[in-house]
Amino acid sequence: MKYILVTGGVISGIGKGIIASSIGTILKSCGLRVTAIKIDPYINIDAGTFSPYEHGEVFVLNDGGEVDLDLGNYERFLDINLYKDNNITTGKIYQHVINKERHGDYLGKTVQVVPHITDAVQEWVMNQAKVPVDDDRKEPQICVIEANPNSLFQLGGTIGDIEGMPFVEAFRQFQFKAKRENFCNIHVSLVPQPNATGEQKTKPTQNSVRALRGLGLSPDLIVCRSAKPIEMAVKEKISMFCHVEPEQVIFIHDVSSTYRVPILLEEQGIIKYFKQRLNLPIDDQPSDLLMKWKKMADRYERLLKVCSIALVGKYTKLSDCYASVFKALEHSALAINHKLDLMYIDSTELERSAEAENSVKYHQAWHKLCKADGILVPGGFGIRGTEGKLQAISWARTKKKPFLGICLGMQLAVVEFARNCLNWKDANSTEFDPDTKNPVVIDMPEHNPGDMGGTMRLGKRRTVFKTQNSVLRKLYGDEMFVEERHRHRYEVNPELTHCFEEKGLKFVGHDTEGNRMEIIELENHPYFVGVQFHPEFSSRPMKPSPPYLGLLLAATGTLNAYLQRGCKLSP
């Protein structure tokens, strides 16, 4: 097993996750089996109870793990399926050690950070690195380990704060346990360019590398992030002051698409370096996989046609809150040769009360919604903004705008239909109104209102189509069932579904027992679809998610032609 540790310096948010994913993609293109592990410093057991404004979206895995959004990058780039133990947190490690102590595994010894916590980190990494993540179920050969900017060398923007020190020490020891030929450290740093001087500054990188060495880890590669391409003189300066060869300094400047990052890394000789440094049994040149990435990146940059989608949500101030939704839309837009114009609309600004509070924002939000080619209402929790989402859904239904509702978006589509088509004016979800006389969305059996963490219906579940006359079934290749990832506490009330179907809102998919409604489709509408699951988590750059692809096809007026061609994309 070869281990590649990716650490960060100077500031967070410089694309370390994308770089780690791109390195994995390059190695996979060389025929190696690659897995990935993400380390986060927080004491939470997982990311499930975070507000999206804390760490961005919560990414859900097949096994129901609620993890950091960077694991979504790994899955999309590497086309693998990870597990909840691929996301290590301080909380998980301490819980694991404390449970062993309570069990008596330490034989009465004093349990300490060193060696017990640091040993637990190393054992966890070694054990999880062996778990197969590809469809062939073979053991991985390479494990890319990403240390969160706030966990190893960049806590709160500074190197080596207290929160991540156990992880630092764990990997300082681990590099000797794994041996030099099996362990490589890549340090991602920032080269700022102040507007006042226009000069690219190397001092932050020098300080970051110096602090990293002071903690016992020396970088084998320094990846420098910058807004513009870095000059050769800057590369030579970093090489000299950071005690590495010039070829060990890699530059990644801002690019139009993340699909270009693996190409930039490969062009700077990273395959040849890894081959020599880790003694890998690979050729110097990548396989067809990386060539496909290059073609995809080239095609992305040549797109001329634009498709606009309005995303109506409550966490629109931070795009990372809907990272997987954006990627799924982008994958689908690229598949039909369109550039995505994603317009974020704060659902509270569509509500009647917003007109009185701030009429400018109210009219701007409605202007965006009206000019969009398609409308998407993603998942979420809580009552805030739901009336605005209902307004958007009503607009999509009545104006025959292509619409896709995900999780809560599907539930609210049912609520809107009940209020305006069935004339049940007080219809609601028991999440928002426990005493409603028409509870069209209800609590689920698994939901434990006492504990919040891990109490939802989580992970990959099977959805069975109950009719052949379904747009989504055709988009899925006319399969009898699909398996997608779930994350929800509430569901459509199965006792009331017949009332909706009589009026044209069809429940075309349900769970294996037939009790849970999973997919809705509206008759006599170009594309009005809602799904209880989260198909965005399974979308890949070269394998777009069918519900999202359907939305983009409908928004560009090409859905019927696509279905008539037997669900084959035009060249």
Side-chain angles (χ1 to χ4, degrees), residues 310 312 345 350 365-372 375 392 395 401:
V312 182
I345 300 176
L350 296 172
W366 272 102
H367 177 69
K368 281 185 187 178
L369 188 74
C370 293
K371 74 175 185 178
I375 297 170
W395 172 268
K401 283 278 188 181

Side-chain angles (χ1 to χ4, degrees), residues 5 7-9 152-153 159-160 165 168-169 171-173 175-176 180 185-187 204-222 237-246 248-249 273 277:
L5 177 66
T7 59
L152 284 187
F153 314 107
I159 300 261
M165 291 309 292
V168 178
E169 176 60 20
F171 282 104
R172 187 196 67 77
Q173 297 173 18
Q175 64 185 328
F176 302 110
R180 174 174 166 75
N185 178 209
I186 298 174
H187 193 59
T205 298
Q206 293 178 44
N207 291 337
S208 179
V209 171
R210 186 182 302 115
L212 180 62
R213 283 210 172 92
L215 295 167
L217 286 166
S218 295
D220 297 287
L221 286 175
I222 300 173
K237 188 174 182 180
I238 291 172
S239 166
M240 180 172 63
F241 285 104
C242 293
H243 197 62
V244 293
E245 295 288 340
Q248 291 173 260
V249 182
Y273 178 80
R277 174 67 180 77

Side-chain angles (χ1 to χ4, degrees), residues 108-120:
K109 292 180 179 178
T110 302
V111 181
Q112 297 174 291
V113 172
V114 180
H116 300 100
I117 295 295
T118 53
D119 284 352

Side-chain angles (χ1 to χ4, degrees), residues 347 350-352 362 366 369 386-396 416:
S347 57
L350 296 172
E351 296 175 0
R352 289 288 182 190
Y362 174 80
W366 272 102
L369 188 74
T386 53
E387 289 302 319
K389 293 176 184 177
L390 289 166
Q391 293 283 342
I393 293 166
S394 183
W395 172 268
E416 188 278 332

Side-chain angles (χ1 to χ4, degrees), residues 193-206:
Q193 190 169 4
N195 290 331
T197 62
E199 182 184 1
Q200 292 172 329
K201 298 293 185 181
T202 65
K203 189 62 73 176
T205 298
Q206 293 178 44

